[in-house]
């Protein structure tokens, strides 16, 4: 049996509020429920996930910098930092790990400023618009990429 692939799941600012506010945009599923779904999907696929949420850019950068020692890939919803953070992008690129960017909402169908992502150009793939399923689809894509190389 090969070693299980290890995926770091990162959730950016305000995603800890999921389920409590703005259900019309982000759905009613809470962040712990999303993490549970990812855990189940990873287990099914013979992989492992560890999830971390922070409202602080530097805390996310710290986790990203530590990732190469412990993980094979990164699944990230950078939240609003998607549209603002060169620091997150630089940290993600420096890991050399494949990165998949996910969003609950379809960022292209909302305000114009959400259409630009600093992360997308260094990501292996992007999934948006499918609510919590964006995370599971992103995980599936990331594991496929790690296993098959494409
Ligand atoms: O659609 C996504 O997943 C976003 O990354 C969510 C971010 C937003 O800034 C991005 O443009 C798209 C916002 C996360 C805030 O989440 C909340 C959840 C419940 C209540 C309020 C905010």
């Amino acid at each position: 049996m090969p070693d299980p692939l290890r995926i770091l799941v990162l959730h950016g600012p305000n995603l800890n509020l999921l389920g409590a506010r703005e259900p019309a945009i982000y759905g009613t599923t809470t962040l712990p429920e999303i993490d549970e779904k990812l855990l189940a999907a990873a287990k099914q696929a013979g992989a492992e996930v560890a999830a971390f949420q922070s409202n602080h850019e530097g805390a996310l950068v710290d986790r990203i910098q530590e990732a190469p020692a412990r993980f094979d890939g990164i699944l990230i919803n950078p939240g609003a930092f998607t549209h603002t953070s060169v620091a997150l992008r630089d940290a993600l690129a420096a890991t050399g790990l494949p990165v998949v960017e996910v969003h609950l909402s379809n960022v292209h169908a909302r305000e114009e400023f959400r259409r630009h992502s600093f992360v997308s150009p260094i990501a292996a793939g992007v999934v948006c618009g499918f609510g919590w399923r964006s995370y599971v689809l992103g995980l599936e894509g990331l594991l496929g990429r790690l296993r098959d190389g494409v």
Side-chain angles (χ1 to χ4, degrees), residues 12-23 25-27 77-83 102-107 110-111 113-114 128-129 135:
N14 295 311
L15 288 160
N16 54 311
L17 299 176
L18 277 180
R21 312 223 187 104
E22 305 212 49
I25 302 175
Y26 299 120
N77 182 348
F81 291 150
T82 306
H83 320 296
V102 299
H103 299 282
L104 297 149
S105 63
N106 178 357
V107 287
R110 299 181 64 192
E111 300 95 327
F113 69 85
R114 294 188 203 275
C128 73
Y135 282 89

Side-chain angles (χ1 to χ4, degrees), residues 25-110:
I25 302 175
Y26 299 120
T28 54
T29 308
T30 66
L31 199 59
E33 287 168 349
I34 291 177
D35 288 342
E36 275 301 311
K37 290 173 191 296
L38 286 171
L39 206 68
K43 196 173 168 191
Q44 180 90 7
E48 292 174 0
V49 291
F52 176 71
Q53 187 275 333
S54 181
N55 295 325
H56 305 277
E57 193 174 18
L60 292 164
V61 169
D62 287 345
R63 291 297 175 116
I64 292 166
Q65 287 186 3
E66 292 162 10
R70 295 184 45 210
F71 296 98
D72 301 299
I74 300 175
L75 183 72
I76 182 167
N77 182 348
F81 291 150
T82 306
H83 320 296
T84 64
S85 182
V86 177
L88 273 192
R89 174 205 175 117
D90 286 350
L92 289 165
T95 63
L97 299 175
V99 173
V100 170
E101 174 186 349
V102 299
H103 299 282
L104 297 149
S105 63
N106 178 357
V107 287
H108 300 286
R110 299 181 64 192

